[in-house]
Amino acid sequence: DSGVTQTPKHLITATGQRVTLRCSPRSGDLSVYWYQQSLDQGLQFLIQYYNGEERAKGNILERFSAQQFPDLHSELNLSSLELGDSALYFCASSVDPSGGNTGELFFGEGSRLTVL
Amino acid sequence: DQQVKQNSPSLSVQEGRISILNCDYTNSMFDYFLWYKKYPAEGPTFLISISSIKDKNEDGRFTVFLNKSAKHLSLHIVPSQPGDSAVYFCAANTNAGKSTFGDGTTLTVKP
């Protein structure tokens, strides 16, 4: 158990819909990262938040948005869903006391999104 | 442009033998490298890391080697065990705040 909790574990929805994925980081971790893993591909970085502020952005589509709340949990919002958005979405957290990124990430079990 | 590449999608070795997983990178700004292991239906878990100021780091059966001039790192598992069968991801970090991952190598250790 990594200490990172993601909900829901599975989600099936239709094209054009909107979903929200939720992540609770490990206790004490200030940084939250979101990654997307499409079928048989690597982990694509989407976005990072540090202590409530956006810190780094990857190839995140404009239809996607995220935020980190004062209690440090994070939500990833995916809207106008397309078939190609079907993927595993992982949340990870790290201590990052300096806001840098030299340490390991602790991953949740992922949220599997299926868009029909 | 994929900055971290794992050119072997899969690797199969016999139990007790050495497993060598390779990773190449292109960005000279990467200064910290990590390996993660992922079992089905689970998130990746950290395995071992190495700073760019070192060329080797060892932890039990796992050793990571870094060749900065070649922009290449490798993970050696000796001896390999069936429980090591998993997907292994190489990742590279900069101080900009994100880890860049390779596509992973699926290791199968046969009893």
Side-chain angles (χ1 to χ4, degrees):
Chain A
D1 183 7
S2 68
V4 177
T5 304
Q6 287 187 248
T7 57
K9 283 188 169 30
H10 300 276
L11 190 55
I12 301 174
T13 189
T15 55
Q17 296 298 305
R18 172 189 169 96
V19 298
T20 297
L21 309 180
R22 182 188 168 100
C23 170
S24 294
R26 287 191 323 157
S27 177
D29 284 357
L30 299 179
S31 267
V32 170
Y33 306 75
W34 286 97
Y35 284 85
Q36 178 192 54
Q37 185 183 24
S38 300
L39 187 63
D40 292 334
Q41 293 187 5
L43 295 159
Q44 301 299 317
F45 171 71
L46 295 178
I47 198 163
Q48 179 205 1
Y49 280 83
Y50 174 69
N51 203 19
E53 299 290 328
E54 181 184 306
R55 177 164 178 85
K57 211 166 185 176
N59 297 324
I60 187 167
L61 300 172
E62 286 190 9
R63 299 184 286 108
F64 296 0
S65 64
Q67 54 184 325
Q68 186 179 28
F69 294 87
D71 67 352
L72 300 178
H73 92 271
S74 177
E75 292 181 356
L76 178 66
N77 301 296
L78 315 175
S79 61
S80 302
L81 286 168
E82 301 175 358
L83 296 178
D85 298 328
S86 296
L88 258 175
Y89 291 85
F90 286 104
C91 169
S93 72
S94 68
V95 176
D96 272 358
S98 64
N101 187 24
T102 57
E104 67 263 31
L105 301 180
F106 295 87
F107 284 84
E109 293 185 347
S111 292
R112 181 172 292 282
L113 172 66
T114 301
V115 182
L116 300 176
Chain B
D1 176 30
Q2 195 167 10
Q3 297 186 50
V4 178
K5 293 183 181 180
Q6 294 177 254
N7 291 318
S8 297
S10 63
L11 175 67
S12 181
V13 300
Q14 208 67 36
E15 180 179 5
R17 305 297 290 267
I18 185 171
S19 295
I20 299 176
L21 296 96
N22 294 303
C23 178
D24 297 296
Y25 63 95
T26 57
N27 189 343
S28 301
M29 299 302 292
F30 289 141
D31 58 6
Y32 204 78
F33 303 89
L34 308 95
W35 285 94
Y36 290 82
K37 180 168 70 172
K38 183 183 181 303
Y39 292 119
E42 295 183 11
T45 55
F46 169 74
L47 188 58
I48 192 170
S49 63
I50 187 167
S51 166
S52 60
I53 63 174
K54 296 185 176 180
D55 56 17
K56 177 182 175 181
N57 187 27
E58 191 172 354
D59 183 1
R61 297 185 297 112
F62 302 91
T63 303
V64 56
F65 295 92
L66 175 63
N67 182 335
K68 282 188 66 178
S69 61
K71 293 190 177 66
H72 176 84
L73 65 154
S74 60
L75 174 68
H76 292 209
I77 307 174
V78 183
S80 301
Q81 300 173 355
D84 296 329
S85 297
V87 179
Y88 289 80
F89 289 100
C90 167
N93 293 359
T94 68
N95 281 333
K98 70 181 179 80
S99 292
T100 303
F101 284 79
D103 285 346
T105 297
T106 300
L107 173 65
T108 303
V109 180
K110 297 180 178 179

